[in-house]
Amino acid sequence: MAFIVVIPARYASSRLPGKPLADIAGITMIERVYRQALQSGAARVLVATDDERIAAEVRRFGGEVCMTAANHNSGTERLAEVVTKLVLTPETIVVNVQGDEPFIPPAIIDQVAKNLAAQQKARMATLAVPLTELAEVNNPNVVKVVTDKQGYALYFSRSAIPFDRDQTFTAKIAEHYRRHIGLYAYRAGFILDYVCWPSSTLEQIEALEQLRVLWQGEAIHVATALQVPAVGVDTPEDLARAVIFARQYD
């Protein structure tokens, strides 16, 4: 089962400009992400960027770059340009690995690709992990997902779903809370369909682009991740934690 990994990377970031080039214990963030992706068993790994500074860094460590336009509104739109440029067949499995996950476990990149390959109904797959901390359940920066009994997504939200009407948060209730991991596998043809769909109201309200897929009546399969990703990087504080983590585990 072959798949390719695309790592969208942009220089601009409101909270951490130049994030892909941030130094994490002597290795740039984009190189760390690339290294993890290479270990997943992907047939091909490439970085999609519109910034020559990022491209130069990727070339420096021997990675593959696909230069893309600067006017994309999302990583998925950047992926669509890659699909077109590489002339990928509609059934090709493409895994979108976020460029700010320097310690993403290679095993879950492989897992999400295999999960999609096994699907008959869904052209998109992703992962989630159980949530047991009340602070995370109520944190709008932690995206929650609810699925049906077959693992197909019913809804993604920044709110606590399912809502605990009695506010008891017992162990029985807690086991139903799941944190969505922003790792996606798609069929290449699906990516081209996605970017032709208009943004939905739900997507705009929640600021979650995967809601566009559910709005269109498409299925997203959600499996429980084999491993929980370590430190992701969105802010300077996250970067400081990532440096500490790297020094401990490199």
Side-chain angles (χ1 to χ4, degrees):
M1 191 278 300
F3 66 95
I4 73 168
V5 170
V6 179
I7 306 168
R10 62 189 185 93
Y11 193 88
S13 171
S14 58
R15 290 183 287 183
L16 191 60
K19 184 163 58 172
L21 303 181
D23 183 280
I24 302 177
I27 303 171
T28 59
M29 176 142 53
I30 193 64
E31 182 174 358
R32 285 187 177 275
V33 178
Y34 199 93
R35 287 182 180 185
Q36 297 299 98
L38 283 177
Q39 296 177 55
S40 70
R44 188 175 184 181
V45 178
L46 57 92
V47 173
T49 186
D50 61 354
D51 192 281
E52 187 53 44
R53 289 165 291 188
I54 295 172
E57 168 60 11
V58 175
R59 295 187 190 107
R60 182 197 64 77
F61 63 71
E64 182 181 358
V65 178
C66 181
M67 297 302 295
T68 55
N71 61 346
H72 293 307
N73 295 315
S74 68
T76 312
E77 290 185 7
R78 202 172 299 282
L79 254 66
E81 184 176 352
V82 174
V83 167
T84 301
K85 282 189 170 182
L86 299 184
V87 197
L88 298 180
T89 64
E91 292 303 307
T92 300
I93 293 176
V94 180
V95 178
N96 179 354
V97 173
Q98 301 296 323
D100 55 6
E101 292 284 348
F103 310 109
I104 187 167
I108 67 172
I109 299 175
D110 178 62
Q111 179 190 5
V112 76
K114 287 179 176 174
N115 181 34
L116 181 60
Q119 298 303 315
Q120 297 285 324
K121 178 180 176 181
R123 295 190 292 161
M124 176 177 174
T126 190
L127 301 174
V129 292
L131 269 179
T132 56
E133 297 293 330
L134 183 58
E136 288 194 315
V137 170
N138 292 320
N139 184 347
N141 294 317
V142 176
V143 178
K144 277 70 67 173
V145 60
V146 172
T147 68
D148 66 15
K149 64 181 181 180
Q150 295 178 308
Y152 294 106
L154 295 172
Y155 195 65
F156 296 84
S157 183
R158 297 183 182 278
S159 297
I161 54 171
F163 181 74
D164 181 3
R165 185 190 65 177
D166 298 324
Q167 298 291 290
T168 55
F169 201 71
T170 62
K172 184 176 181 180
I173 291 293
E175 69 185 18
H176 295 288
Y177 287 96
R178 301 173 74 195
R179 174 169 68 89
H180 175 233
I181 295 174
L183 176 67
Y184 300 102
Y186 314 88
R187 296 288 183 183
F190 171 83
I191 297 172
L192 298 182
D193 288 342
Y194 174 92
V195 296
C196 292
W197 296 331
S199 175
S200 72
T201 302
L202 291 178
E203 173 189 357
Q204 296 167 17
I205 291 171
E206 295 261 18
L208 296 173
E209 62 177 298
Q210 63 268 39
L211 291 176
R212 187 185 311 186
V213 180
L214 300 184
W215 180 263
Q216 290 292 330
E218 287 270 351
I220 304 174
H221 194 269
V222 185
T224 299
L226 295 171
Q227 293 178 246
V228 179
V231 185
V233 180
D234 286 317
T235 65
E237 293 75 22
D238 293 339
L239 180 59
R241 284 192 290 270
V243 170
I244 293 170
F245 184 89
R247 287 173 177 165
Q248 289 175 335
Y249 294 99
D250 276 356

Short mmCIF file of all heavy atoms in Angstrom, two decimals, residues 124-176:
data_model
loop_
_atom_site.label_atom_id
_atom_site.label_comp_id
_atom_site.label_asym_id
_atom_site.label_seq_id
_atom_site.Cartn_x
_atom_site.Cartn_y
_atom_site.Cartn_z
N MET A 124 -11.57 10.18 2.91
CA MET A 124 -10.76 10.97 3.83
C MET A 124 -10.74 10.27 5.17
O MET A 124 -11.76 9.73 5.62
CB MET A 124 -11.36 12.38 3.98
CG MET A 124 -10.67 13.27 4.98
SD MET A 124 -11.44 14.93 4.95
CE MET A 124 -10.60 15.71 6.33
N ALA A 125 -9.59 10.24 5.82
CA ALA A 125 -9.46 9.59 7.13
C ALA A 125 -8.60 10.45 8.03
O ALA A 125 -7.74 11.21 7.58
CB ALA A 125 -8.85 8.20 6.99
N THR A 126 -8.82 10.32 9.33
CA THR A 126 -8.05 11.06 10.32
C THR A 126 -8.00 10.26 11.61
O THR A 126 -8.46 9.12 11.65
CB THR A 126 -8.65 12.48 10.52
OG1 THR A 126 -7.76 13.26 11.31
CG2 THR A 126 -10.01 12.42 11.18
N LEU A 127 -7.44 10.86 12.67
CA LEU A 127 -7.23 10.14 13.92
C LEU A 127 -7.72 10.97 15.11
O LEU A 127 -7.88 12.19 15.02
CB LEU A 127 -5.75 9.81 14.11
CG LEU A 127 -5.07 8.97 13.04
CD1 LEU A 127 -3.57 8.88 13.32
CD2 LEU A 127 -5.69 7.58 12.96
N ALA A 128 -7.92 10.30 16.22
CA ALA A 128 -8.30 10.96 17.47
C ALA A 128 -7.72 10.16 18.63
O ALA A 128 -7.32 9.01 18.47
CB ALA A 128 -9.82 11.06 17.59
N VAL A 129 -7.69 10.80 19.80
CA VAL A 129 -7.24 10.13 21.03
C VAL A 129 -8.23 10.46 22.13
O VAL A 129 -8.89 11.51 22.10
CB VAL A 129 -5.82 10.56 21.44
CG1 VAL A 129 -4.79 10.06 20.44
CG2 VAL A 129 -5.72 12.07 21.61
N PRO A 130 -8.36 9.58 23.13
CA PRO A 130 -9.28 9.84 24.24
C PRO A 130 -8.87 11.08 25.03
O PRO A 130 -7.69 11.39 25.17
CB PRO A 130 -9.18 8.58 25.11
CG PRO A 130 -8.64 7.53 24.20
CD PRO A 130 -7.74 8.24 23.24
N LEU A 131 -9.87 11.78 25.54
CA LEU A 131 -9.66 12.92 26.42
C LEU A 131 -10.20 12.58 27.80
O LEU A 131 -11.33 12.11 27.93
CB LEU A 131 -10.41 14.15 25.90
CG LEU A 131 -9.70 15.09 24.95
CD1 LEU A 131 -10.66 16.21 24.54
CD2 LEU A 131 -8.46 15.68 25.58
N THR A 132 -9.42 12.84 28.82
CA THR A 132 -9.88 12.57 30.19
C THR A 132 -9.71 13.76 31.11
O THR A 132 -10.20 13.75 32.23
CB THR A 132 -9.14 11.35 30.79
OG1 THR A 132 -7.73 11.60 30.75
CG2 THR A 132 -9.46 10.08 30.02
N GLU A 133 -9.02 14.79 30.64
CA GLU A 133 -8.81 15.99 31.46
C GLU A 133 -9.91 17.01 31.18
O GLU A 133 -10.12 17.41 30.04
CB GLU A 133 -7.44 16.61 31.17
CG GLU A 133 -6.26 15.72 31.51
CD GLU A 133 -6.14 15.49 32.99
OE1 GLU A 133 -6.54 16.38 33.78
OE2 GLU A 133 -5.64 14.41 33.39
N LEU A 134 -10.60 17.43 32.24
CA LEU A 134 -11.70 18.38 32.09
C LEU A 134 -11.23 19.68 31.45
O LEU A 134 -11.93 20.27 30.63
CB LEU A 134 -12.34 18.66 33.45
CG LEU A 134 -13.56 19.58 33.44
CD1 LEU A 134 -14.66 19.01 32.54
CD2 LEU A 134 -14.08 19.80 34.85
N ALA A 135 -10.01 20.12 31.78
CA ALA A 135 -9.49 21.36 31.21
C ALA A 135 -9.40 21.27 29.69
O ALA A 135 -9.66 22.25 28.98
CB ALA A 135 -8.12 21.68 31.81
N GLU A 136 -9.03 20.10 29.17
CA GLU A 136 -8.93 19.93 27.72
C GLU A 136 -10.31 19.84 27.08
O GLU A 136 -10.53 20.34 25.98
CB GLU A 136 -8.12 18.69 27.40
CG GLU A 136 -6.64 18.83 27.67
CD GLU A 136 -5.82 17.73 27.05
OE1 GLU A 136 -6.24 16.54 27.17
OE2 GLU A 136 -4.81 18.02 26.43
N VAL A 137 -11.24 19.22 27.77
CA VAL A 137 -12.60 19.10 27.24
C VAL A 137 -13.20 20.50 27.02
O VAL A 137 -13.89 20.74 26.03
CB VAL A 137 -13.50 18.28 28.20
CG1 VAL A 137 -14.96 18.36 27.78
CG2 VAL A 137 -13.04 16.83 28.25
N ASN A 138 -12.91 21.42 27.92
CA ASN A 138 -13.48 22.76 27.84
C ASN A 138 -12.58 23.77 27.14
O ASN A 138 -12.93 24.95 27.04
CB ASN A 138 -13.81 23.27 29.25
CG ASN A 138 -14.95 22.49 29.89
OD1 ASN A 138 -15.91 22.16 29.21
ND2 ASN A 138 -14.83 22.20 31.16
N ASN A 139 -11.45 23.32 26.61
CA ASN A 139 -10.52 24.21 25.95
C ASN A 139 -10.89 24.34 24.46
O ASN A 139 -10.86 23.35 23.73
CB ASN A 139 -9.10 23.66 26.09
CG ASN A 139 -8.04 24.57 25.49
OD1 ASN A 139 -8.34 25.51 24.76
ND2 ASN A 139 -6.79 24.29 25.79
N PRO A 140 -11.22 25.54 23.99
CA PRO A 140 -11.62 25.69 22.58
C PRO A 140 -10.48 25.45 21.60
O PRO A 140 -10.73 25.26 20.41
CB PRO A 140 -12.12 27.14 22.50
CG PRO A 140 -11.45 27.84 23.64
CD PRO A 140 -11.33 26.81 24.73
N ASN A 141 -9.24 25.45 22.08
CA ASN A 141 -8.11 25.15 21.20
C ASN A 141 -7.93 23.65 20.99
O ASN A 141 -7.14 23.24 20.13
CB ASN A 141 -6.82 25.74 21.78
CG ASN A 141 -6.85 27.25 21.80
OD1 ASN A 141 -7.27 27.88 20.84
ND2 ASN A 141 -6.42 27.85 22.90
N VAL A 142 -8.65 22.85 21.78
CA VAL A 142 -8.62 21.39 21.63
C VAL A 142 -9.87 20.99 20.86
O VAL A 142 -11.00 21.14 21.37
CB VAL A 142 -8.58 20.68 23.01
CG1 VAL A 142 -8.67 19.17 22.84
CG2 VAL A 142 -7.32 21.07 23.77
N VAL A 143 -9.69 20.51 19.66
CA VAL A 143 -10.84 20.15 18.81
C VAL A 143 -11.34 18.76 19.19
O VAL A 143 -10.57 17.81 19.27
CB VAL A 143 -10.46 20.20 17.32
CG1 VAL A 143 -11.64 19.78 16.45
CG2 VAL A 143 -10.01 21.62 16.96
N LYS A 144 -12.64 18.67 19.43
CA LYS A 144 -13.26 17.40 19.79
C LYS A 144 -14.00 16.80 18.60
O LYS A 144 -14.41 17.53 17.70
CB LYS A 144 -14.26 17.60 20.94
CG LYS A 144 -13.64 17.60 22.33
CD LYS A 144 -12.80 18.83 22.65
CE LYS A 144 -13.58 20.11 22.75
NZ LYS A 144 -12.77 21.26 23.22
N VAL A 145 -14.13 15.49 18.61
CA VAL A 145 -14.85 14.81 17.53
C VAL A 145 -15.76 13.74 18.12
O VAL A 145 -15.42 13.09 19.11
CB VAL A 145 -13.87 14.19 16.50
CG1 VAL A 145 -12.96 13.16 17.15
CG2 VAL A 145 -14.62 13.58 15.32
N VAL A 146 -16.93 13.60 17.50
CA VAL A 146 -17.88 12.54 17.85
C VAL A 146 -18.12 11.71 16.60
O VAL A 146 -18.28 12.25 15.50
CB VAL A 146 -19.21 13.14 18.35
CG1 VAL A 146 -20.26 12.04 18.53
CG2 VAL A 146 -19.01 13.87 19.67
N THR A 147 -18.12 10.38 16.76
CA THR A 147 -18.31 9.48 15.63
C THR A 147 -19.51 8.57 15.85
O THR A 147 -20.01 8.45 16.97
CB THR A 147 -17.06 8.61 15.40
OG1 THR A 147 -16.92 7.69 16.50
CG2 THR A 147 -15.81 9.45 15.27
N ASP A 148 -19.92 7.90 14.77
CA ASP A 148 -20.93 6.86 14.93
C ASP A 148 -20.23 5.55 15.32
O ASP A 148 -19.01 5.51 15.51
CB ASP A 148 -21.77 6.72 13.65
CG ASP A 148 -20.98 6.20 12.45
OD1 ASP A 148 -19.85 5.68 12.63
OD2 ASP A 148 -21.48 6.32 11.31
N LYS A 149 -21.00 4.47 15.42
CA LYS A 149 -20.43 3.22 15.92
C LYS A 149 -19.42 2.60 14.95
O LYS A 149 -18.63 1.74 15.33
CB LYS A 149 -21.55 2.23 16.22
CG LYS A 149 -22.37 1.78 15.02
CD LYS A 149 -23.46 0.82 15.45
CE LYS A 149 -24.28 0.32 14.26
NZ LYS A 149 -25.36 -0.61 14.68
N GLN A 150 -19.46 3.03 13.70
CA GLN A 150 -18.51 2.52 12.70
C GLN A 150 -17.27 3.39 12.56
O GLN A 150 -16.40 3.09 11.75
CB GLN A 150 -19.22 2.37 11.35
CG GLN A 150 -20.33 1.33 11.35
CD GLN A 150 -21.02 1.25 10.01
OE1 GLN A 150 -21.47 2.27 9.46
NE2 GLN A 150 -21.10 0.05 9.45
N GLY A 151 -17.20 4.45 13.35
CA GLY A 151 -16.03 5.32 13.32
C GLY A 151 -16.11 6.47 12.35
O GLY A 151 -15.11 7.16 12.13
N TYR A 152 -17.27 6.71 11.76
CA TYR A 152 -17.41 7.84 10.84
C TYR A 152 -17.79 9.10 11.62
O TYR A 152 -18.65 9.06 12.50
CB TYR A 152 -18.45 7.54 9.77
CG TYR A 152 -18.04 6.43 8.84
CD1 TYR A 152 -18.61 5.17 8.93
CD2 TYR A 152 -17.03 6.63 7.90
CE1 TYR A 152 -18.21 4.14 8.09
CE2 TYR A 152 -16.61 5.61 7.06
CZ TYR A 152 -17.21 4.36 7.16
OH TYR A 152 -16.79 3.34 6.34
N ALA A 153 -17.14 10.20 11.30
CA ALA A 153 -17.34 11.45 12.03
C ALA A 153 -18.77 11.95 11.91
O ALA A 153 -19.32 12.01 10.80
CB ALA A 153 -16.38 12.51 11.53
N LEU A 154 -19.35 12.30 13.05
CA LEU A 154 -20.65 12.96 13.07
C LEU A 154 -20.47 14.48 13.11
O LEU A 154 -21.19 15.22 12.48
CB LEU A 154 -21.47 12.51 14.28
CG LEU A 154 -21.87 11.03 14.30
CD1 LEU A 154 -22.50 10.68 15.65
CD2 LEU A 154 -22.85 10.73 13.16
N TYR A 155 -19.48 14.92 13.90
CA TYR A 155 -19.21 16.36 14.02
C TYR A 155 -17.87 16.60 14.69
O TYR A 155 -17.41 15.78 15.50
CB TYR A 155 -20.33 17.05 14.82
CG TYR A 155 -20.34 18.55 14.67
CD1 TYR A 155 -20.61 19.15 13.44
CD2 TYR A 155 -20.07 19.39 15.76
CE1 TYR A 155 -20.59 20.52 13.30
CE2 TYR A 155 -20.07 20.77 15.62
CZ TYR A 155 -20.32 21.34 14.38
OH TYR A 155 -20.31 22.69 14.23
N PHE A 156 -17.25 17.71 14.32
CA PHE A 156 -16.05 18.22 14.98
C PHE A 156 -16.42 19.56 15.60
O PHE A 156 -17.16 20.35 15.00
CB PHE A 156 -14.93 18.46 13.97
CG PHE A 156 -14.42 17.23 13.27
CD1 PHE A 156 -15.07 16.74 12.14
CD2 PHE A 156 -13.29 16.57 13.72
CE1 PHE A 156 -14.60 15.62 11.47
CE2 PHE A 156 -12.81 15.44 13.06
CZ PHE A 156 -13.47 14.96 11.93
N SER A 157 -15.88 19.84 16.77
CA SER A 157 -16.21 21.12 17.42
C SER A 157 -15.13 21.54 18.39
O SER A 157 -14.39 20.72 18.94
CB SER A 157 -17.54 21.01 18.17
OG SER A 157 -17.88 22.27 18.75
N ARG A 158 -15.07 22.86 18.61
CA ARG A 158 -14.21 23.40 19.64
C ARG A 158 -14.91 23.37 21.00
O ARG A 158 -14.27 23.55 22.04
CB ARG A 158 -13.81 24.83 19.30
CG ARG A 158 -12.99 24.92 18.02
CD ARG A 158 -12.53 26.33 17.71
NE ARG A 158 -11.80 26.37 16.45
CZ ARG A 158 -10.52 26.05 16.31
NH1 ARG A 158 -9.83 25.66 17.38
NH2 ARG A 158 -9.92 26.12 15.15
N SER A 159 -16.21 23.13 20.98
CA SER A 159 -16.98 22.99 22.22
C SER A 159 -16.90 21.56 22.74
O SER A 159 -16.43 20.66 22.05
CB SER A 159 -18.44 23.36 21.97
OG SER A 159 -18.56 24.70 21.58
N ALA A 160 -17.37 21.38 23.95
CA ALA A 160 -17.37 20.04 24.56
C ALA A 160 -18.51 19.22 23.94
O ALA A 160 -19.68 19.49 24.19
CB ALA A 160 -17.55 20.15 26.07
N ILE A 161 -18.16 18.27 23.10
CA ILE A 161 -19.16 17.35 22.55
C ILE A 161 -18.72 15.92 22.82
O ILE A 161 -17.54 15.60 22.67
CB ILE A 161 -19.38 17.57 21.04
CG1 ILE A 161 -18.05 17.50 20.26
CG2 ILE A 161 -20.10 18.86 20.77
CD1 ILE A 161 -18.22 17.50 18.75
N PRO A 162 -19.61 15.05 23.27
CA PRO A 162 -21.01 15.32 23.61
C PRO A 162 -21.13 16.21 24.85
O PRO A 162 -20.24 16.20 25.70
CB PRO A 162 -21.57 13.92 23.90
CG PRO A 162 -20.39 13.15 24.38
CD PRO A 162 -19.23 13.65 23.57
N PHE A 163 -22.20 16.97 24.93
CA PHE A 163 -22.40 17.85 26.07
C PHE A 163 -22.92 17.06 27.25
O PHE A 163 -23.91 16.34 27.14
CB PHE A 163 -23.38 18.96 25.71
CG PHE A 163 -23.62 19.93 26.84
CD1 PHE A 163 -22.64 20.85 27.17
CD2 PHE A 163 -24.80 19.89 27.57
CE1 PHE A 163 -22.84 21.75 28.22
CE2 PHE A 163 -25.01 20.78 28.61
CZ PHE A 163 -24.03 21.71 28.94
N ASP A 164 -22.25 17.19 28.40
CA ASP A 164 -22.66 16.50 29.62
C ASP A 164 -23.75 17.33 30.30
O ASP A 164 -23.46 18.28 31.02
CB ASP A 164 -21.44 16.31 30.53
CG ASP A 164 -21.77 15.58 31.83
OD1 ASP A 164 -22.94 15.16 31.99
OD2 ASP A 164 -20.87 15.43 32.66
N ARG A 165 -24.99 16.96 30.07
CA ARG A 165 -26.12 17.75 30.56
C ARG A 165 -26.09 17.94 32.08
O ARG A 165 -26.39 19.01 32.60
CB ARG A 165 -27.45 17.07 30.18
CG ARG A 165 -28.68 17.87 30.55
CD ARG A 165 -29.94 17.05 30.37
NE ARG A 165 -29.96 15.92 31.29
CZ ARG A 165 -30.98 15.06 31.40
NH1 ARG A 165 -32.03 15.20 30.61
NH2 ARG A 165 -30.94 14.07 32.26
N ASP A 166 -25.69 16.88 32.79
CA ASP A 166 -25.69 16.93 34.26
C ASP A 166 -24.38 17.46 34.84
O ASP A 166 -24.24 17.61 36.06
CB ASP A 166 -25.97 15.54 34.83
CG ASP A 166 -27.35 15.04 34.42
OD1 ASP A 166 -28.27 15.88 34.34
OD2 ASP A 166 -27.49 13.83 34.17
N GLN A 167 -23.40 17.72 33.94
CA GLN A 167 -22.12 18.30 34.35
C GLN A 167 -21.43 17.48 35.44
O GLN A 167 -20.80 18.02 36.35
CB GLN A 167 -22.32 19.74 34.85
CG GLN A 167 -22.85 20.69 33.79
CD GLN A 167 -21.83 20.97 32.68
OE1 GLN A 167 -20.83 21.64 32.93
NE2 GLN A 167 -22.08 20.46 31.50
N THR A 168 -21.56 16.17 35.35
CA THR A 168 -20.93 15.30 36.36
C THR A 168 -19.52 14.90 35.95
O THR A 168 -18.66 14.68 36.79
CB THR A 168 -21.76 14.01 36.55
OG1 THR A 168 -21.92 13.37 35.27
CG2 THR A 168 -23.12 14.33 37.13
N PHE A 169 -19.27 14.80 34.66
CA PHE A 169 -17.98 14.38 34.12
C PHE A 169 -17.48 13.13 34.83
O PHE A 169 -16.37 13.08 35.35
CB PHE A 169 -16.95 15.50 34.21
CG PHE A 169 -15.81 15.30 33.24
CD1 PHE A 169 -16.01 15.45 31.88
CD2 PHE A 169 -14.56 14.94 33.68
CE1 PHE A 169 -14.98 15.25 30.97
CE2 PHE A 169 -13.51 14.74 32.78
CZ PHE A 169 -13.73 14.90 31.43
N THR A 170 -18.33 12.14 34.90
CA THR A 170 -17.93 10.86 35.49
C THR A 170 -17.03 10.12 34.52
O THR A 170 -16.89 10.49 33.36
CB THR A 170 -19.16 10.00 35.78
OG1 THR A 170 -19.81 9.72 34.52
CG2 THR A 170 -20.14 10.71 36.70
N ALA A 171 -16.40 9.04 35.00
CA ALA A 171 -15.51 8.25 34.14
C ALA A 171 -16.28 7.71 32.94
O ALA A 171 -15.76 7.65 31.82
CB ALA A 171 -14.90 7.10 34.94
N LYS A 172 -17.54 7.35 33.13
CA LYS A 172 -18.34 6.80 32.04
C LYS A 172 -18.58 7.86 30.97
O LYS A 172 -18.53 7.59 29.77
CB LYS A 172 -19.68 6.29 32.57
CG LYS A 172 -20.53 5.63 31.51
CD LYS A 172 -21.81 5.06 32.11
CE LYS A 172 -22.65 4.38 31.02
NZ LYS A 172 -23.90 3.82 31.55
N ILE A 173 -18.85 9.08 31.41
CA ILE A 173 -19.05 10.17 30.47
C ILE A 173 -17.73 10.54 29.78
O ILE A 173 -17.66 10.72 28.57
CB ILE A 173 -19.63 11.41 31.17
CG1 ILE A 173 -21.07 11.15 31.64
CG2 ILE A 173 -19.60 12.63 30.26
CD1 ILE A 173 -22.06 10.96 30.53
N ALA A 174 -16.68 10.61 30.58
CA ALA A 174 -15.39 11.07 30.07
C ALA A 174 -14.87 10.23 28.92
O ALA A 174 -14.21 10.74 28.02
CB ALA A 174 -14.37 11.11 31.21
N GLU A 175 -15.16 8.94 28.94
CA GLU A 175 -14.61 8.06 27.91
C GLU A 175 -15.15 8.37 26.52
O GLU A 175 -14.62 7.91 25.52
CB GLU A 175 -14.90 6.60 28.26
CG GLU A 175 -16.35 6.21 28.17
CD GLU A 175 -16.62 4.78 28.64
OE1 GLU A 175 -15.76 4.22 29.34
OE2 GLU A 175 -17.69 4.25 28.31
N HIS A 176 -16.19 9.18 26.43
CA HIS A 176 -16.77 9.53 25.13
C HIS A 176 -16.15 10.77 24.52
O HIS A 176 -16.47 11.13 23.39
CB HIS A 176 -18.29 9.70 25.26
CG HIS A 176 -18.99 8.44 25.63
ND1 HIS A 176 -19.16 7.39 24.75
CD2 HIS A 176 -19.56 8.04 26.79
CE1 HIS A 176 -19.81 6.41 25.36
NE2 HIS A 176 -20.06 6.79 26.58
#
